[in-house]
Amino acid sequence: MREFIDLIIMQFKTIKAYLAVFLFIPILFPIAIILVFGSISMKEFTPYIVAGTITFDISIGVITLVAQILASEKQSGRFSLMIAAGIPKEVYAISIALSYGLADILSIIVILLVGIYFLHLQVASIPYLAIAIIASIFMASVFGMTLGLGIKNPYAVYQYSQIIGLTLTFFAPVYFPITFIPIPFRYLAYLEPTTYVSQAIYNAFGGNPASLLWSLGIVIIGVIFVIISRYAIKGA
């Protein structure tokens, strides 16, 4: 346990090396999106704008970053070095995924504050929101870990993680109600993890208990990725 905590602390220190990317992609870019979209949309769509921006942040700031950091660790030989030092692959991979997942909480808080103070967002249930965010970060961290370890070519990881991160944001109903999608295509939206993330957060804003059901869906998806990641770690 002590070894795992030390690894988490080491990963937080490593984040300093990626500070410019961390500040721009997960924080400044989402803030720009929320301010632009919020200024041109009707007030009743504010919860969707904020929920969608948080979903975008989790998609890019956790899924994409975790996958790319793991790919970078493998490419530089650091991953192999840690394993040679006696650290289990599972422990080291999880420490990276968890540290970047936890670091993303800061950007989520910033987005929420921007939504509250500039767009007058109201949060009816903080417990529902906390459960939705924790479940989402868990799922995204494991998803990123699965991509980073499952794809052997680091350059392919860089490409696919960006494509997947953007696709899961802008080709899923995260910035608008899922009912806007016609029935034949709506079922496809249920295959995208970000649909569950945005819906869980949106319903939490309104204090709707349905948020817990969407959060349960996120956890189930996360468990599926955990199972897949176990095979990916073995082949890493």
Side-chain angles (χ1 to χ4, degrees), residues 12 15 23 57 109 122 129 147 160 177 184 201 219 221-222:
F12 276 122
I15 290 177
L23 287 176
D57 173 75
I109 292 175
Q122 294 183 348
L129 180 60
L147 287 175
Y160 291 132
I201 295 172
V219 172
I221 294 172

Side-chain angles (χ1 to χ4, degrees), residues 64-119:
T64 301
L65 272 184
V66 168
Q68 293 185 356
I69 294 301
L70 277 169
S72 176
E73 293 276 310
K74 291 195 301 181
Q75 186 179 25
S76 65
R78 184 183 175 89
F79 193 84
S80 300
L81 184 63
M82 289 295 178
I83 295 172
I87 298 175
K89 290 187 289 187
E90 298 87 347
V91 173
Y92 188 59
I94 292 172
S95 71
I96 293 176
L98 183 60
S99 60
Y100 279 86
L102 292 175
D104 197 62
I105 293 177
L106 172 61
S107 56
I108 292 174
I109 292 175
V110 172
I111 292 170
L112 283 171
L113 291 176
V114 171
I116 291 171
Y117 287 103
F118 290 95
L119 303 183

Side-chain angles (χ1 to χ4, degrees), residues 9-138:
I9 295 174
M10 182 186 72
Q11 294 303 332
F12 276 122
K13 292 179 179 179
T14 305
I15 290 177
K16 294 179 180 178
Y18 304 94
L19 190 58
V21 175
F22 180 76
L23 287 176
F24 179 73
I25 296 180
I27 298 181
L28 297 181
F29 192 36
I31 289 176
I33 290 179
I34 194 175
L35 290 176
V36 171
F37 282 9
S39 63
I40 62 176
S41 63
M42 293 182 289
K43 186 176 181 181
E44 55 264 33
F45 285 100
T46 294
Y48 286 105
I49 298 300
V50 179
T53 304
I54 292 176
T55 303
F56 169 76
D57 173 75
I58 291 174
S59 181
I60 299 298
V62 181
I63 296 176
T64 301
L65 272 184
V66 168
Q68 293 185 356
I69 294 301
L70 277 169
S72 176
E73 293 276 310
K74 291 195 301 181
Q75 186 179 25
S76 65
R78 184 183 175 89
F79 193 84
S80 300
L81 184 63
M82 289 295 178
I83 295 172
I87 298 175
K89 290 187 289 187
E90 298 87 347
V91 173
Y92 188 59
I94 292 172
S95 71
I96 293 176
L98 183 60
S99 60
Y100 279 86
L102 292 175
D104 197 62
I105 293 177
L106 172 61
S107 56
I108 292 174
I109 292 175
V110 172
I111 292 170
L112 283 171
L113 291 176
V114 171
I116 291 171
Y117 287 103
F118 290 95
L119 303 183
H120 308 293
L121 172 73
Q122 294 183 348
V123 181
S125 177
I126 294 179
Y128 289 171
L129 180 60
I131 292 172
I133 289 175
I134 292 172
S136 300
I137 289 177
F138 158 71

Side-chain angles (χ1 to χ4, degrees), residues 44-45 47-49 172-182 186 189 195 198-199 202:
E44 55 264 33
F45 285 100
Y48 286 105
I49 298 300
V174 300
Y175 282 104
F176 52 87
I178 193 172
T179 52
F180 280 18
I181 302 178
R186 192 180 306 173
T195 297
S198 62
Q199 291 300 315
Y202 168 76

Side-chain angles (χ1 to χ4, degrees), residues 1-12 95:
M1 186 64 184
R2 177 54 186 249
E3 182 183 66
F4 183 70
I5 294 175
D6 289 339
L7 284 173
I8 293 291
I9 295 174
M10 182 186 72
Q11 294 303 332
F12 276 122
S95 71

